[in-house]
Amino acid sequence: QVQLVESGGGLVQAGGSLSLSCAASGRTFSRYFMGWLRQAPGKEREFVAAIDWSGSITYYADSAKGRFTISRGNAKNTVFLQMNSLKPDDTAVYYCATDGRLVRITGTQEPEYWGQGTQVTVSS
């Protein structure tokens, strides 16, 4: 099994920044993608960003592109999401996820492994 633990959420004013981190433990696989999803109350889960196993290829939702940056730690079992120019619409629970198939992170299917989530609240 794989455990994912997110941290770094909190309350921030619009236009501010937050940095989220995720650490994976347990049985991890070298060629798994990692990424971030989010879900706001009353809304469907949506893809935010993903990164490949090498840490060199990144993928972003249109809502995140240009404002958010995903990266992997040196150990490759950690992933970060730097969020700048935050908007109230970014308010959601942010989940770290990992899967061997990129489409299960970027698409509507549930990824193989999820974290518990961390709350991000952006005030206007």
Side-chain angles (χ1 to χ4, degrees), residues 50-82:
I51 191 166
D52 81 323
W53 53 87
S54 71
S56 62
I57 305 175
T58 57
Y59 312 83
Y60 295 97
D62 288 341
S63 61
K65 195 173 185 64
R67 299 188 299 125
F68 296 0
T69 302
I70 189 170
S71 61
R72 299 189 76 141
N74 292 333
K76 306 302 180 184
N77 64 340
T78 56
V79 63
F80 306 94
L81 185 69
Q82 177 65 46

Side-chain angles (χ1 to χ4, degrees), residues 5 9-11 16-17 23 33 35 39 41 66 72 75 84 86 98 102 113-114 117:
V5 180
L11 175 65
S17 299
F33 297 88
Q39 187 168 25
R72 299 189 76 141
N84 299 323
L86 284 163
T98 187
L102 177 63
Y113 299 102
W114 290 76

Side-chain angles (χ1 to χ4, degrees), residues 9-98:
L11 175 65
V12 65
Q13 294 183 11
S17 299
L18 280 175
S19 182
L20 307 182
S21 62
C22 171
S25 62
R27 180 180 288 274
T28 58
F29 301 94
S30 62
R31 297 179 68 85
Y32 267 44
F33 297 88
M34 297 188 73
W36 293 91
L37 309 172
R38 69 186 184 186
Q39 187 168 25
K43 297 183 178 180
E44 294 184 350
R45 167 175 37 87
E46 65 175 345
F47 163 72
V48 178
I51 191 166
D52 81 323
W53 53 87
S54 71
S56 62
I57 305 175
T58 57
Y59 312 83
Y60 295 97
D62 288 341
S63 61
K65 195 173 185 64
R67 299 188 299 125
F68 296 0
T69 302
I70 189 170
S71 61
R72 299 189 76 141
N74 292 333
K76 306 302 180 184
N77 64 340
T78 56
V79 63
F80 306 94
L81 185 69
Q82 177 65 46
M83 303 185 293
N84 299 323
S85 301
L86 284 163
K87 307 173 182 178
D89 286 347
D90 295 319
T91 296
V93 177
Y94 284 70
Y95 298 93
C96 180
T98 187

